[in-house]
Amino acid sequence: MIVLGCVLLVFLRGCALRPASRYLGSHFNHGKNGMWLGVEWVNEPHADAEFVGLANDLARRQIRYVFVYTSHLRTDTGAFNNSYAHAAEFLHSFKKAQPSLKVLAWLGLPMPSLGGIVNLADAAIRQQIVTLSTYLVKTVGFDGIQLDPETVADGDQGLVKLLDESRSAIGSGKLLSLAAEKIQPLFPDQSIGGPFVGWSNTYYRQIAGHLDQIAVMTYAP
């Protein structure tokens, strides 16, 4: 019973009774906020005024980074979904209206842990991702790429390889962003391993060293 009580206390401390503040949201606002947009902005035709209106509205709301859902690697075909036919016209109008906003192509990478096919240990899979990323940045005109692999186990070195290969391909002048796991709430300095439990501090630091930006997925998978 003593052991069970101790485990319960540790769980409550790590997951339910974590320190919090009473600061308003404005306290944390540095005017460099991010916004995720649906695939319809690059997959469907829109009037130029719609693109311009969206860009101006986001700028007024102090959005600096715009992540546009562009494609995902399909399990049924083994290829990326061709869902960005209107990306170039979107970018042209959007960036003309608000050139200071950074627009990144958000790529969904479903991992085997969620029934997907993205095995980051597979060099061919990584090359597919890098090839599309390069095309979207160098040909279509995105300011960078946000990779969204769900979910990656703590310590997975395939992700490190993907980030290095992506950086080499898109160049240092483009943004490389990652939608990343949470830090595990219990014993963050220890690697528990496996998906869905979060990453250790050590792995987080390693991953951060290969990126320009991390967006933490704080929701439950």
Side-chain angles (χ1 to χ4, degrees), residues 1-17:
M1 289 300 294
I2 294 176
V3 173
L4 181 60
C6 290
V7 171
L8 179 60
L9 286 174
V10 170
F11 175 81
L12 289 174
R13 174 63 178 81
C15 299
L17 301 175

Side-chain angles (χ1 to χ4, degrees), residues 67-79:
F67 309 101
V68 187
Y69 191 65
T70 305
S71 186
H72 70 280
L73 193 57
R74 296 179 57 151
T75 301
D76 55 349
T77 65

